[in-house]
Amino acid sequence: MNCPVCQSENFGAAELDAGLVARRCGACAGNWVSGRGYWHWLQSHGENLPERREPANGSAAPADRQPKLCPECHTAMFRYTVGHGLGFGLDQCPACKGIWLDADEWEALKERNLHDDIHAVFTAPWQAEASREERRARLEQIYLKRFGADDYAEVRRVRDWLDMSARKQELLAYLTDPDPWGV
Ligand SMILES: [Zn+2]
Ligand SMILES: [Zn+2]
């Protein structure tokens, strides 16, 4: 077995959670979880834990890197964005369904109760939402830079207020009319 990150062959066992044993790279501390091991753990783990939401920190997963190779069957793995404010992705082997987690990613997922949603991260709806979230985060950075933090906070407040109003169109027309008093 070769580590998909650092190529080390030095793997040991690591218990990620009660009943979930991963193979951990001795060099980079990444974890390899078999698809079957994950499902087995998921079933014994009980009810899905509600996500602990945190304000998004605007971090996005690093852009496409070279695909990692599955340490088990050497297939190029697919990369999935976790989103939900977590700035990393997960790799899954499309052939043997094994899951690669870089060092500390399991702990980061568990902190947010997302460790029992890894199978959901690999689905199209989750990925679509993660892309939307990334776009929002990117635009947010652009607006912040353009307006500055104070103006951006204010224009956001006004925008939210407009969105809530039944008179949104009239209010907008007033706001954008260069001469609302007709003088
Ligand atoms: Zn490694
Ligand atoms: Zn594989």
Side-chain angles (χ1 to χ4, degrees):
M1 204 162 140
N2 281 93
C3 173
V5 174
C6 70
Q7 313 309 324
S8 164
E9 291 178 35
N10 168 22
F11 275 85
E15 190 170 47
L16 294 182
D17 207 57
L20 182 59
V21 175
R23 301 183 70 184
R24 177 168 293 171
C25 173
C28 72
N31 293 294
W32 176 247
V33 177
S34 74
R36 195 204 296 217
Y38 177 75
W39 279 108
H40 193 263
W41 166 79
L42 193 64
Q43 276 159 13
S44 62
H45 154 82
E47 258 183 74
N48 187 275
L49 300 167
E51 178 182 347
R52 281 193 209 103
R53 279 277 176 182
E54 263 170 35
N57 58 13
S59 66
D64 309 282
R65 286 176 285 166
Q66 283 283 92
K68 295 186 177 98
L69 290 185
C70 173
E72 202 115 34
C73 70
H74 308 292
T75 308
M77 290 194 278
F78 291 159
R79 190 158 179 81
Y80 297 89
T81 304
V82 176
H84 294 227
L86 292 175
F88 58 85
L90 298 172
D91 299 279
Q92 189 195 33
C93 173
C96 71
K97 305 294 178 194
I99 302 157
W100 178 262
L101 301 122
D102 285 339
D104 303 326
E105 288 179 351
W106 174 265
E107 289 74 14
L109 290 167
K110 191 165 173 174
E111 181 95 30
R112 300 278 304 282
N113 277 348
L114 290 170
H115 59 314
D116 60 359
D117 298 303
I118 290 177
H119 57 296
V121 171
F122 300 147
T123 63
W126 188 291
Q127 288 306 299
E129 176 54 33
S131 306
R132 278 194 293 275
E133 192 186 308
E134 276 191 334
R135 257 197 317 277
R136 273 198 300 271
R138 260 199 310 275
L139 284 170
E140 179 120 295
Q141 290 311 309
I142 291 170
Y143 289 133
L144 262 174
K145 222 164 132 186
R146 189 179 296 166
F147 300 143
D150 290 349
D151 280 359
Y152 184 54
E154 185 64 5
V155 80
R156 278 283 301 266
R157 192 185 63 74
V158 171
R159 204 195 151 93
D160 290 345
W161 162 71
L162 274 172
D163 281 344
M164 298 289 288
S165 170
R167 295 179 174 277
K168 181 178 176 181
Q169 290 312 320
E170 283 169 81
L171 291 167
L172 263 177
Y174 175 84
L175 269 178
T176 53
D177 186 337
D179 182 15
W181 296 277
V183 293

